[in-house]
Amino acid sequence: MQNVKITYPVARAFIGALFLISGVFKIMGFAGMAGYMASAGLPMVNVLLVITIAIEIGAGLSLVTGWKAFYGATVLALFLIPTTVIFHAFWSADAANFSNQITNFLKNLAIFGGMLMLIERERAAK
């Protein structure tokens, strides 16, 4: 049982770091990311990108620190749904991009599963 006291916060922090670092990289490459989002047909990409950065950094920090991790995991789980469907639509990808898109779709699905486990664990801890 002692290992769980160490492994759970470390694992939660690792998952949070994925989003925290992604949010920081989006700041550093704001114009490129806005262009990528626009190419997916999204409107108001600058506003959506700022919201995305706030979600990734805020919820990522929540998981890294453990502060309000239930809410951080819930926000990220909800965020992953449209993000995965919009940006990793393997069902409409051409042959050259199919493998990459299905891999990223499944990666996000696995991260979504991790968020569900975090939500459940954090809810049980309340």
Side-chain angles (χ1 to χ4, degrees):
M1 196 54 138
Q2 185 65 19
N3 287 341
V4 173
K5 291 181 182 180
I6 296 168
T7 57
Y8 176 74
V10 169
R12 186 192 62 230
F14 285 168
I15 295 171
L18 171 71
F19 290 96
L20 176 60
I21 293 166
S22 179
V24 170
F25 282 174
K26 282 178 177 69
I27 292 170
M28 296 180 347
F30 193 94
M33 183 54 65
Y36 174 66
M37 291 171 71
S39 74
L42 293 176
M44 304 182 315
V45 293
N46 288 340
V47 173
L48 290 175
L49 183 51
V50 168
I51 293 167
T52 296
I53 290 167
I55 288 170
E56 288 187 341
I57 291 177
L61 276 172
S62 170
L63 297 185
V64 168
T65 64
W67 184 74
K68 304 287 186 183
F70 171 82
Y71 298 107
T74 301
V75 166
L76 287 170
L78 294 172
F79 169 77
L80 279 166
I81 296 168
T83 302
T84 302
V85 172
I86 292 167
F87 292 105
H88 303 300
F90 65 89
W91 51 89
S92 63
D94 59 24
N97 291 306
F98 178 83
S99 179
N100 184 46
Q101 290 304 328
I102 197 164
T103 298
N104 282 302
F105 183 92
L106 293 171
K107 170 197 56 92
N108 280 15
L109 191 62
I111 295 168
F112 182 78
M115 289 301 128
L116 295 179
M117 286 193 292
L118 286 172
I119 290 166
E120 183 58 32
R121 173 71 185 262
E122 293 296 325
R123 182 184 341 207
K126 286 185 174 187

